[in-house]
Amino acid sequence: MLARQRQAIILEEAQRTGAVRVSDLVERLGVSDMTVRRDLDVLASRGLVEKVYGGATTITGRSTDEPGFEAKSVRQREQKEAIAELAASLVKPGTAIGISAGTTTWTFARALDGIPDLTIVTNSVRVADILHDSGQTDRTVVLTGGVRTPSDALVGPVAVQSLRSLHLDLVFLGVHGMAEGPGFTTPNLTESETDRALVEAGRKLVVLADHTKWGTVGISTIADLADAGVVVSDTGLPEDARKVLSENAGELLIADPERRAEADE
């Protein structure tokens, strides 16, 4: 198979699913790992895909673009894991917390293992599955109803009504983008309404957002920067963003993926 034929197949698959993994392409195309990576380099140089850890995702940029869960799950994986561990240190036993949908919050949910006696409210099917699969019998998980979005969030009037009757200690919010003017945003209008209801249910808002979210603006604002009691990001966050967040949000916490990786060795 010629290189351009392989690249056409890779691009078609990326556009169909939102993301491709090197290991899957090696098996499908019957070529080496290095050959696939060279093909991804070519596609990335032409602006057709964005290389990420272990594969590539499609390029998006419009305020209404919303990649699916699988596409987002391979982006900034190490940063998300470091953010999740740092955010989990804010959770005390016996508290009631809310967790929004998204790959960062899904990673955060996995980091809650071992924290006893939690009541967790979420509008994410993926997050609920992770929490149930943990097997902790001292944990109560409440999953809102609603209509399912590309990011596996349950949204709409049913979800909003469920959240408006609840009172939570902390709400952990994943966002599509954050910027000085628009604040924390999402590309999904219906999801923003549900997220706002979740934010209003909590006494304190904790936003989980890796550095690539800075400067990205979705069509709808969930909350202003000043509404966040804590923002947890990573060491890739630029200095100007740190200054803005430190001046507006209650507290900025920076997770270090490299330090976490060293601790795992």
Side-chain angles (χ1 to χ4, degrees), residues 84-124:
E85 288 191 4
L86 183 54
S89 69
L90 302 175
V91 181
K92 306 302 180 186
T95 56
I97 66 173
I99 305 177
S100 76
T103 55
T104 307
T105 48
W106 174 77
T107 306
F108 165 72
R110 295 166 58 193
L112 295 175
D113 282 353
I115 303 177
D117 195 25
L118 294 180
T119 298
I120 304 167
V121 176
T122 184
N123 69 320
S124 168

PDB file of all heavy atoms in Angstrom, residues 84-124:
ATOM      1  N   ALA A  84      -5.987  15.345  38.121  1.00  0.00           N
ATOM      2  CA  ALA A  84      -6.946  14.531  38.864  1.00  0.00           C
ATOM      3  C   ALA A  84      -6.441  14.195  40.262  1.00  0.00           C
ATOM      4  O   ALA A  84      -7.185  14.291  41.247  1.00  0.00           O
ATOM      5  CB  ALA A  84      -7.242  13.247  38.090  1.00  0.00           C
ATOM      6  N   GLU A  85      -5.180  13.805  40.361  1.00  0.00           N
ATOM      7  CA  GLU A  85      -4.620  13.453  41.669  1.00  0.00           C
ATOM      8  C   GLU A  85      -4.581  14.657  42.604  1.00  0.00           C
ATOM      9  O   GLU A  85      -4.888  14.551  43.794  1.00  0.00           O
ATOM     10  CB  GLU A  85      -3.225  12.864  41.497  1.00  0.00           C
ATOM     11  CG  GLU A  85      -3.229  11.467  40.913  1.00  0.00           C
ATOM     12  CD  GLU A  85      -1.866  10.808  40.995  1.00  0.00           C
ATOM     13  OE1 GLU A  85      -0.935  11.411  41.579  1.00  0.00           O
ATOM     14  OE2 GLU A  85      -1.722   9.689  40.471  1.00  0.00           O
ATOM     15  N   LEU A  86      -4.189  15.810  42.066  1.00  0.00           N
ATOM     16  CA  LEU A  86      -4.139  17.017  42.892  1.00  0.00           C
ATOM     17  C   LEU A  86      -5.541  17.423  43.332  1.00  0.00           C
ATOM     18  O   LEU A  86      -5.762  17.794  44.494  1.00  0.00           O
ATOM     19  CB  LEU A  86      -3.470  18.153  42.117  1.00  0.00           C
ATOM     20  CG  LEU A  86      -3.270  19.483  42.862  1.00  0.00           C
ATOM     21  CD1 LEU A  86      -2.519  19.277  44.172  1.00  0.00           C
ATOM     22  CD2 LEU A  86      -2.527  20.473  41.966  1.00  0.00           C
ATOM     23  N   ALA A  87      -6.515  17.349  42.423  1.00  0.00           N
ATOM     24  CA  ALA A  87      -7.892  17.709  42.765  1.00  0.00           C
ATOM     25  C   ALA A  87      -8.478  16.755  43.799  1.00  0.00           C
ATOM     26  O   ALA A  87      -9.238  17.171  44.682  1.00  0.00           O
ATOM     27  CB  ALA A  87      -8.752  17.711  41.505  1.00  0.00           C
ATOM     28  N   ALA A  88      -8.115  15.479  43.713  1.00  0.00           N
ATOM     29  CA  ALA A  88      -8.640  14.493  44.668  1.00  0.00           C
ATOM     30  C   ALA A  88      -8.193  14.788  46.090  1.00  0.00           C
ATOM     31  O   ALA A  88      -8.884  14.431  47.053  1.00  0.00           O
ATOM     32  CB  ALA A  88      -8.204  13.090  44.256  1.00  0.00           C
ATOM     33  N   SER A  89      -7.068  15.472  46.236  1.00  0.00           N
ATOM     34  CA  SER A  89      -6.584  15.821  47.578  1.00  0.00           C
ATOM     35  C   SER A  89      -7.483  16.853  48.259  1.00  0.00           C
ATOM     36  O   SER A  89      -7.380  17.063  49.475  1.00  0.00           O
ATOM     37  CB  SER A  89      -5.148  16.353  47.503  1.00  0.00           C
ATOM     38  OG  SER A  89      -5.106  17.623  46.859  1.00  0.00           O
ATOM     39  N   LEU A  90      -8.364  17.475  47.490  1.00  0.00           N
ATOM     40  CA  LEU A  90      -9.291  18.458  48.058  1.00  0.00           C
ATOM     41  C   LEU A  90     -10.540  17.799  48.650  1.00  0.00           C
ATOM     42  O   LEU A  90     -11.317  18.455  49.348  1.00  0.00           O
ATOM     43  CB  LEU A  90      -9.729  19.451  46.970  1.00  0.00           C
ATOM     44  CG  LEU A  90      -8.624  20.243  46.264  1.00  0.00           C
ATOM     45  CD1 LEU A  90      -9.231  21.074  45.136  1.00  0.00           C
ATOM     46  CD2 LEU A  90      -7.871  21.126  47.236  1.00  0.00           C
ATOM     47  N   VAL A  91     -10.741  16.515  48.362  1.00  0.00           N
ATOM     48  CA  VAL A  91     -11.952  15.817  48.783  1.00  0.00           C
ATOM     49  C   VAL A  91     -11.742  15.155  50.142  1.00  0.00           C
ATOM     50  O   VAL A  91     -10.822  14.357  50.322  1.00  0.00           O
ATOM     51  CB  VAL A  91     -12.352  14.753  47.741  1.00  0.00           C
ATOM     52  CG1 VAL A  91     -13.624  14.044  48.177  1.00  0.00           C
ATOM     53  CG2 VAL A  91     -12.542  15.398  46.379  1.00  0.00           C
ATOM     54  N   LYS A  92     -12.598  15.493  51.080  1.00  0.00           N
ATOM     55  CA  LYS A  92     -12.526  14.932  52.425  1.00  0.00           C
ATOM     56  C   LYS A  92     -13.566  13.832  52.598  1.00  0.00           C
ATOM     57  O   LYS A  92     -14.644  13.888  51.995  1.00  0.00           O
ATOM     58  CB  LYS A  92     -12.751  16.020  53.478  1.00  0.00           C
ATOM     59  CG  LYS A  92     -11.826  17.227  53.332  1.00  0.00           C
ATOM     60  CD  LYS A  92     -10.366  16.839  53.406  1.00  0.00           C
ATOM     61  CE  LYS A  92      -9.452  18.057  53.248  1.00  0.00           C
ATOM     62  NZ  LYS A  92      -8.020  17.666  53.175  1.00  0.00           N
ATOM     63  N   PRO A  93     -13.272  12.827  53.432  1.00  0.00           N
ATOM     64  CA  PRO A  93     -14.246  11.762  53.682  1.00  0.00           C
ATOM     65  C   PRO A  93     -15.574  12.324  54.195  1.00  0.00           C
ATOM     66  O   PRO A  93     -15.598  13.301  54.947  1.00  0.00           O
ATOM     67  CB  PRO A  93     -13.562  10.909  54.760  1.00  0.00           C
ATOM     68  CG  PRO A  93     -12.094  11.162  54.570  1.00  0.00           C
ATOM     69  CD  PRO A  93     -11.998  12.595  54.151  1.00  0.00           C
ATOM     70  N   GLY A  94     -16.668  11.724  53.770  1.00  0.00           N
ATOM     71  CA  GLY A  94     -17.976  12.109  54.272  1.00  0.00           C
ATOM     72  C   GLY A  94     -18.612  13.302  53.590  1.00  0.00           C
ATOM     73  O   GLY A  94     -19.651  13.784  54.043  1.00  0.00           O
ATOM     74  N   THR A  95     -18.027  13.792  52.485  1.00  0.00           N
ATOM     75  CA  THR A  95     -18.580  14.962  51.817  1.00  0.00           C
ATOM     76  C   THR A  95     -19.467  14.572  50.634  1.00  0.00           C
ATOM     77  O   THR A  95     -19.417  13.449  50.141  1.00  0.00           O
ATOM     78  CB  THR A  95     -17.465  15.907  51.327  1.00  0.00           C
ATOM     79  OG1 THR A  95     -16.567  15.169  50.480  1.00  0.00           O
ATOM     80  CG2 THR A  95     -16.699  16.481  52.481  1.00  0.00           C
ATOM     81  N   ALA A  96     -20.271  15.531  50.202  1.00  0.00           N
ATOM     82  CA  ALA A  96     -21.120  15.367  49.029  1.00  0.00           C
ATOM     83  C   ALA A  96     -20.537  16.213  47.914  1.00  0.00           C
ATOM     84  O   ALA A  96     -20.353  17.420  48.074  1.00  0.00           O
ATOM     85  CB  ALA A  96     -22.549  15.790  49.329  1.00  0.00           C
ATOM     86  N   ILE A  97     -20.240  15.580  46.779  1.00  0.00           N
ATOM     87  CA  ILE A  97     -19.609  16.310  45.685  1.00  0.00           C
ATOM     88  C   ILE A  97     -20.365  16.093  44.379  1.00  0.00           C
ATOM     89  O   ILE A  97     -21.056  15.086  44.205  1.00  0.00           O
ATOM     90  CB  ILE A  97     -18.128  15.902  45.495  1.00  0.00           C
ATOM     91  CG1 ILE A  97     -18.009  14.448  45.048  1.00  0.00           C
ATOM     92  CG2 ILE A  97     -17.340  16.130  46.780  1.00  0.00           C
ATOM     93  CD1 ILE A  97     -16.592  14.028  44.689  1.00  0.00           C
ATOM     94  N   GLY A  98     -20.211  17.049  43.483  1.00  0.00           N
ATOM     95  CA  GLY A  98     -20.763  16.924  42.140  1.00  0.00           C
ATOM     96  C   GLY A  98     -19.634  16.820  41.136  1.00  0.00           C
ATOM     97  O   GLY A  98     -18.596  17.470  41.298  1.00  0.00           O
ATOM     98  N   ILE A  99     -19.820  16.016  40.094  1.00  0.00           N
ATOM     99  CA  ILE A  99     -18.804  15.846  39.059  1.00  0.00           C
ATOM    100  C   ILE A  99     -19.477  15.975  37.700  1.00  0.00           C
ATOM    101  O   ILE A  99     -20.403  15.220  37.376  1.00  0.00           O
ATOM    102  CB  ILE A  99     -18.105  14.476  39.148  1.00  0.00           C
ATOM    103  CG1 ILE A  99     -17.503  14.248  40.539  1.00  0.00           C
ATOM    104  CG2 ILE A  99     -17.024  14.365  38.082  1.00  0.00           C
ATOM    105  CD1 ILE A  99     -16.865  12.879  40.711  1.00  0.00           C
ATOM    106  N   SER A 100     -19.017  16.922  36.893  1.00  0.00           N
ATOM    107  CA  SER A 100     -19.587  17.105  35.557  1.00  0.00           C
ATOM    108  C   SER A 100     -19.027  16.067  34.597  1.00  0.00           C
ATOM    109  O   SER A 100     -18.116  15.306  34.934  1.00  0.00           O
ATOM    110  CB  SER A 100     -19.289  18.520  35.045  1.00  0.00           C
ATOM    111  OG  SER A 100     -17.928  18.615  34.630  1.00  0.00           O
ATOM    112  N   ALA A 101     -19.549  16.062  33.385  1.00  0.00           N
ATOM    113  CA  ALA A 101     -19.073  15.138  32.356  1.00  0.00           C
ATOM    114  C   ALA A 101     -17.771  15.643  31.749  1.00  0.00           C
ATOM    115  O   ALA A 101     -17.449  16.824  31.807  1.00  0.00           O
ATOM    116  CB  ALA A 101     -20.128  14.968  31.277  1.00  0.00           C
ATOM    117  N   GLY A 102     -17.006  14.715  31.152  1.00  0.00           N
ATOM    118  CA  GLY A 102     -15.766  15.083  30.485  1.00  0.00           C
ATOM    119  C   GLY A 102     -14.664  14.089  30.785  1.00  0.00           C
ATOM    120  O   GLY A 102     -14.751  13.304  31.733  1.00  0.00           O
ATOM    121  N   THR A 103     -13.604  14.132  30.002  1.00  0.00           N
ATOM    122  CA  THR A 103     -12.505  13.178  30.188  1.00  0.00           C
ATOM    123  C   THR A 103     -11.629  13.539  31.383  1.00  0.00           C
ATOM    124  O   THR A 103     -11.076  12.649  32.024  1.00  0.00           O
ATOM    125  CB  THR A 103     -11.636  13.097  28.925  1.00  0.00           C
ATOM    126  OG1 THR A 103     -11.175  14.410  28.570  1.00  0.00           O
ATOM    127  CG2 THR A 103     -12.419  12.527  27.760  1.00  0.00           C
ATOM    128  N   THR A 104     -11.508  14.815  31.697  1.00  0.00           N
ATOM    129  CA  THR A 104     -10.712  15.203  32.864  1.00  0.00           C
ATOM    130  C   THR A 104     -11.429  14.812  34.142  1.00  0.00           C
ATOM    131  O   THR A 104     -10.816  14.291  35.083  1.00  0.00           O
ATOM    132  CB  THR A 104     -10.421  16.715  32.855  1.00  0.00           C
ATOM    133  OG1 THR A 104      -9.845  17.082  31.604  1.00  0.00           O
ATOM    134  CG2 THR A 104      -9.452  17.088  33.967  1.00  0.00           C
ATOM    135  N   THR A 105     -12.733  15.051  34.203  1.00  0.00           N
ATOM    136  CA  THR A 105     -13.499  14.674  35.385  1.00  0.00           C
ATOM    137  C   THR A 105     -13.624  13.156  35.504  1.00  0.00           C
ATOM    138  O   THR A 105     -13.692  12.618  36.611  1.00  0.00           O
ATOM    139  CB  THR A 105     -14.891  15.319  35.358  1.00  0.00           C
ATOM    140  OG1 THR A 105     -15.486  15.123  34.065  1.00  0.00           O
ATOM    141  CG2 THR A 105     -14.809  16.806  35.650  1.00  0.00           C
ATOM    142  N   TRP A 106     -13.649  12.465  34.366  1.00  0.00           N
ATOM    143  CA  TRP A 106     -13.650  10.996  34.384  1.00  0.00           C
ATOM    144  C   TRP A 106     -12.349  10.479  35.000  1.00  0.00           C
ATOM    145  O   TRP A 106     -12.344   9.550  35.815  1.00  0.00           O
ATOM    146  CB  TRP A 106     -13.812  10.493  32.955  1.00  0.00           C
ATOM    147  CG  TRP A 106     -13.692   9.010  32.763  1.00  0.00           C
ATOM    148  CD1 TRP A 106     -14.624   8.059  33.054  1.00  0.00           C
ATOM    149  CD2 TRP A 106     -12.573   8.312  32.205  1.00  0.00           C
ATOM    150  NE1 TRP A 106     -14.153   6.806  32.715  1.00  0.00           N
ATOM    151  CE2 TRP A 106     -12.896   6.938  32.187  1.00  0.00           C
ATOM    152  CE3 TRP A 106     -11.339   8.715  31.693  1.00  0.00           C
ATOM    153  CZ2 TRP A 106     -12.027   5.966  31.700  1.00  0.00           C
ATOM    154  CZ3 TRP A 106     -10.475   7.754  31.209  1.00  0.00           C
ATOM    155  CH2 TRP A 106     -10.829   6.398  31.214  1.00  0.00           C
ATOM    156  N   THR A 107     -11.231  11.106  34.629  1.00  0.00           N
ATOM    157  CA  THR A 107      -9.941  10.747  35.213  1.00  0.00           C
ATOM    158  C   THR A 107      -9.929  11.076  36.700  1.00  0.00           C
ATOM    159  O   THR A 107      -9.402  10.309  37.524  1.00  0.00           O
ATOM    160  CB  THR A 107      -8.805  11.506  34.499  1.00  0.00           C
ATOM    161  OG1 THR A 107      -8.886  11.263  33.097  1.00  0.00           O
ATOM    162  CG2 THR A 107      -7.439  11.056  35.000  1.00  0.00           C
ATOM    163  N   PHE A 108     -10.518  12.205  37.064  1.00  0.00           N
ATOM    164  CA  PHE A 108     -10.628  12.603  38.475  1.00  0.00           C
ATOM    165  C   PHE A 108     -11.426  11.576  39.272  1.00  0.00           C
ATOM    166  O   PHE A 108     -11.050  11.216  40.398  1.00  0.00           O
ATOM    167  CB  PHE A 108     -11.291  13.976  38.557  1.00  0.00           C
ATOM    168  CG  PHE A 108     -11.788  14.342  39.921  1.00  0.00           C
ATOM    169  CD1 PHE A 108     -10.909  14.663  40.952  1.00  0.00           C
ATOM    170  CD2 PHE A 108     -13.150  14.382  40.184  1.00  0.00           C
ATOM    171  CE1 PHE A 108     -11.369  14.999  42.213  1.00  0.00           C
ATOM    172  CE2 PHE A 108     -13.625  14.730  41.440  1.00  0.00           C
ATOM    173  CZ  PHE A 108     -12.729  15.034  42.456  1.00  0.00           C
ATOM    174  N   ALA A 109     -12.518  11.079  38.707  1.00  0.00           N
ATOM    175  CA  ALA A 109     -13.343  10.088  39.407  1.00  0.00           C
ATOM    176  C   ALA A 109     -12.534   8.843  39.747  1.00  0.00           C
ATOM    177  O   ALA A 109     -12.709   8.235  40.813  1.00  0.00           O
ATOM    178  CB  ALA A 109     -14.558   9.728  38.555  1.00  0.00           C
ATOM    179  N   ARG A 110     -11.638   8.455  38.854  1.00  0.00           N
ATOM    180  CA  ARG A 110     -10.782   7.292  39.111  1.00  0.00           C
ATOM    181  C   ARG A 110      -9.827   7.554  40.274  1.00  0.00           C
ATOM    182  O   ARG A 110      -9.408   6.614  40.965  1.00  0.00           O
ATOM    183  CB  ARG A 110      -9.999   6.956  37.853  1.00  0.00           C
ATOM    184  CG  ARG A 110     -10.870   6.510  36.694  1.00  0.00           C
ATOM    185  CD  ARG A 110     -10.118   6.517  35.380  1.00  0.00           C
ATOM    186  NE  ARG A 110      -8.940   5.670  35.408  1.00  0.00           N
ATOM    187  CZ  ARG A 110      -7.984   5.696  34.493  1.00  0.00           C
ATOM    188  NH1 ARG A 110      -8.063   6.548  33.477  1.00  0.00           N
ATOM    189  NH2 ARG A 110      -6.954   4.893  34.573  1.00  0.00           N
ATOM    190  N   ALA A 111      -9.468   8.820  40.485  1.00  0.00           N
ATOM    191  CA  ALA A 111      -8.524   9.167  41.555  1.00  0.00           C
ATOM    192  C   ALA A 111      -9.171   9.216  42.925  1.00  0.00           C
ATOM    193  O   ALA A 111      -8.483   9.426  43.936  1.00  0.00           O
ATOM    194  CB  ALA A 111      -7.875  10.521  41.238  1.00  0.00           C
ATOM    195  N   LEU A 112     -10.483   9.024  42.994  1.00  0.00           N
ATOM    196  CA  LEU A 112     -11.195   9.087  44.274  1.00  0.00           C
ATOM    197  C   LEU A 112     -11.169   7.769  45.038  1.00  0.00           C
ATOM    198  O   LEU A 112     -11.672   7.708  46.167  1.00  0.00           O
ATOM    199  CB  LEU A 112     -12.646   9.506  44.044  1.00  0.00           C
ATOM    200  CG  LEU A 112     -12.865  10.922  43.501  1.00  0.00           C
ATOM    201  CD1 LEU A 112     -14.344  11.145  43.210  1.00  0.00           C
ATOM    202  CD2 LEU A 112     -12.348  11.966  44.481  1.00  0.00           C
ATOM    203  N   ASP A 113     -10.620   6.724  44.435  1.00  0.00           N
ATOM    204  CA  ASP A 113     -10.574   5.420  45.108  1.00  0.00           C
ATOM    205  C   ASP A 113      -9.896   5.534  46.464  1.00  0.00           C
ATOM    206  O   ASP A 113      -8.824   6.135  46.588  1.00  0.00           O
ATOM    207  CB  ASP A 113      -9.816   4.403  44.249  1.00  0.00           C
ATOM    208  CG  ASP A 113     -10.669   3.875  43.108  1.00  0.00           C
ATOM    209  OD1 ASP A 113     -11.861   4.193  43.078  1.00  0.00           O
ATOM    210  OD2 ASP A 113     -10.123   3.148  42.254  1.00  0.00           O
ATOM    211  N   GLY A 114     -10.526   4.954  47.458  1.00  0.00           N
ATOM    212  CA  GLY A 114      -9.950   4.961  48.801  1.00  0.00           C
ATOM    213  C   GLY A 114     -10.469   6.051  49.696  1.00  0.00           C
ATOM    214  O   GLY A 114     -10.255   6.007  50.920  1.00  0.00           O
ATOM    215  N   ILE A 115     -11.128   7.065  49.145  1.00  0.00           N
ATOM    216  CA  ILE A 115     -11.705   8.119  49.991  1.00  0.00           C
ATOM    217  C   ILE A 115     -13.078   7.628  50.450  1.00  0.00           C
ATOM    218  O   ILE A 115     -13.976   7.419  49.629  1.00  0.00           O
ATOM    219  CB  ILE A 115     -11.843   9.457  49.236  1.00  0.00           C
ATOM    220  CG1 ILE A 115     -10.474   9.896  48.708  1.00  0.00           C
ATOM    221  CG2 ILE A 115     -12.431  10.527  50.145  1.00  0.00           C
ATOM    222  CD1 ILE A 115     -10.517  11.162  47.878  1.00  0.00           C
ATOM    223  N   PRO A 116     -13.284   7.443  51.760  1.00  0.00           N
ATOM    224  CA  PRO A 116     -14.501   6.791  52.250  1.00  0.00           C
ATOM    225  C   PRO A 116     -15.710   7.723  52.357  1.00  0.00           C
ATOM    226  O   PRO A 116     -15.591   8.941  52.433  1.00  0.00           O
ATOM    227  CB  PRO A 116     -14.079   6.305  53.639  1.00  0.00           C
ATOM    228  CG  PRO A 116     -13.055   7.298  54.090  1.00  0.00           C
ATOM    229  CD  PRO A 116     -12.310   7.706  52.842  1.00  0.00           C
ATOM    230  N   ASP A 117     -16.869   7.077  52.348  1.00  0.00           N
ATOM    231  CA  ASP A 117     -18.137   7.718  52.711  1.00  0.00           C
ATOM    232  C   ASP A 117     -18.459   8.949  51.872  1.00  0.00           C
ATOM    233  O   ASP A 117     -18.798  10.010  52.400  1.00  0.00           O
ATOM    234  CB  ASP A 117     -18.113   8.078  54.201  1.00  0.00           C
ATOM    235  CG  ASP A 117     -19.498   8.398  54.739  1.00  0.00           C
ATOM    236  OD1 ASP A 117     -20.477   7.901  54.157  1.00  0.00           O
ATOM    237  OD2 ASP A 117     -19.589   9.163  55.715  1.00  0.00           O
ATOM    238  N   LEU A 118     -18.351   8.815  50.562  1.00  0.00           N
ATOM    239  CA  LEU A 118     -18.664   9.932  49.680  1.00  0.00           C
ATOM    240  C   LEU A 118     -20.057   9.769  49.068  1.00  0.00           C
ATOM    241  O   LEU A 118     -20.486   8.665  48.754  1.00  0.00           O
ATOM    242  CB  LEU A 118     -17.650  10.023  48.535  1.00  0.00           C
ATOM    243  CG  LEU A 118     -16.210  10.374  48.896  1.00  0.00           C
ATOM    244  CD1 LEU A 118     -15.367  10.409  47.614  1.00  0.00           C
ATOM    245  CD2 LEU A 118     -16.131  11.711  49.618  1.00  0.00           C
ATOM    246  N   THR A 119     -20.740  10.906  48.901  1.00  0.00           N
ATOM    247  CA  THR A 119     -21.952  10.962  48.095  1.00  0.00           C
ATOM    248  C   THR A 119     -21.605  11.753  46.849  1.00  0.00           C
ATOM    249  O   THR A 119     -21.154  12.901  46.944  1.00  0.00           O
ATOM    250  CB  THR A 119     -23.106  11.643  48.841  1.00  0.00           C
ATOM    251  OG1 THR A 119     -23.426  10.882  50.006  1.00  0.00           O
ATOM    252  CG2 THR A 119     -24.337  11.741  47.952  1.00  0.00           C
ATOM    253  N   ILE A 120     -21.788  11.139  45.691  1.00  0.00           N
ATOM    254  CA  ILE A 120     -21.332  11.748  44.439  1.00  0.00           C
ATOM    255  C   ILE A 120     -22.508  11.871  43.475  1.00  0.00           C
ATOM    256  O   ILE A 120     -23.179  10.885  43.159  1.00  0.00           O
ATOM    257  CB  ILE A 120     -20.214  10.919  43.781  1.00  0.00           C
ATOM    258  CG1 ILE A 120     -19.053  10.739  44.772  1.00  0.00           C
ATOM    259  CG2 ILE A 120     -19.724  11.596  42.512  1.00  0.00           C
ATOM    260  CD1 ILE A 120     -18.046   9.703  44.358  1.00  0.00           C
ATOM    261  N   VAL A 121     -22.727  13.087  43.017  1.00  0.00           N
ATOM    262  CA  VAL A 121     -23.773  13.361  42.032  1.00  0.00           C
ATOM    263  C   VAL A 121     -23.093  13.681  40.706  1.00  0.00           C
ATOM    264  O   VAL A 121     -22.161  14.489  40.651  1.00  0.00           O
ATOM    265  CB  VAL A 121     -24.642  14.557  42.472  1.00  0.00           C
ATOM    266  CG1 VAL A 121     -25.662  14.897  41.387  1.00  0.00           C
ATOM    267  CG2 VAL A 121     -25.343  14.251  43.787  1.00  0.00           C
ATOM    268  N   THR A 122     -23.540  13.057  39.633  1.00  0.00           N
ATOM    269  CA  THR A 122     -22.932  13.312  38.322  1.00  0.00           C
ATOM    270  C   THR A 122     -23.975  13.213  37.217  1.00  0.00           C
ATOM    271  O   THR A 122     -24.976  12.495  37.358  1.00  0.00           O
ATOM    272  CB  THR A 122     -21.783  12.325  38.045  1.00  0.00           C
ATOM    273  OG1 THR A 122     -21.150  12.669  36.806  1.00  0.00           O
ATOM    274  CG2 THR A 122     -22.273  10.900  37.993  1.00  0.00           C
ATOM    275  N   ASN A 123     -23.733  13.942  36.145  1.00  0.00           N
ATOM    276  CA  ASN A 123     -24.565  13.804  34.941  1.00  0.00           C
ATOM    277  C   ASN A 123     -23.795  13.077  33.841  1.00  0.00           C
ATOM    278  O   ASN A 123     -24.164  13.151  32.674  1.00  0.00           O
ATOM    279  CB  ASN A 123     -25.031  15.181  34.441  1.00  0.00           C
ATOM    280  CG  ASN A 123     -23.891  16.013  33.890  1.00  0.00           C
ATOM    281  OD1 ASN A 123     -22.793  16.026  34.447  1.00  0.00           O
ATOM    282  ND2 ASN A 123     -24.139  16.730  32.806  1.00  0.00           N
ATOM    283  N   SER A 124     -22.743  12.354  34.236  1.00  0.00           N
ATOM    284  CA  SER A 124     -21.895  11.633  33.288  1.00  0.00           C
ATOM    285  C   SER A 124     -22.055  10.132  33.452  1.00  0.00           C
ATOM    286  O   SER A 124     -21.783   9.578  34.522  1.00  0.00           O
ATOM    287  CB  SER A 124     -20.423  12.008  33.495  1.00  0.00           C
ATOM    288  OG  SER A 124     -19.582  11.128  32.785  1.00  0.00           O
TER     289      SER A 124
END
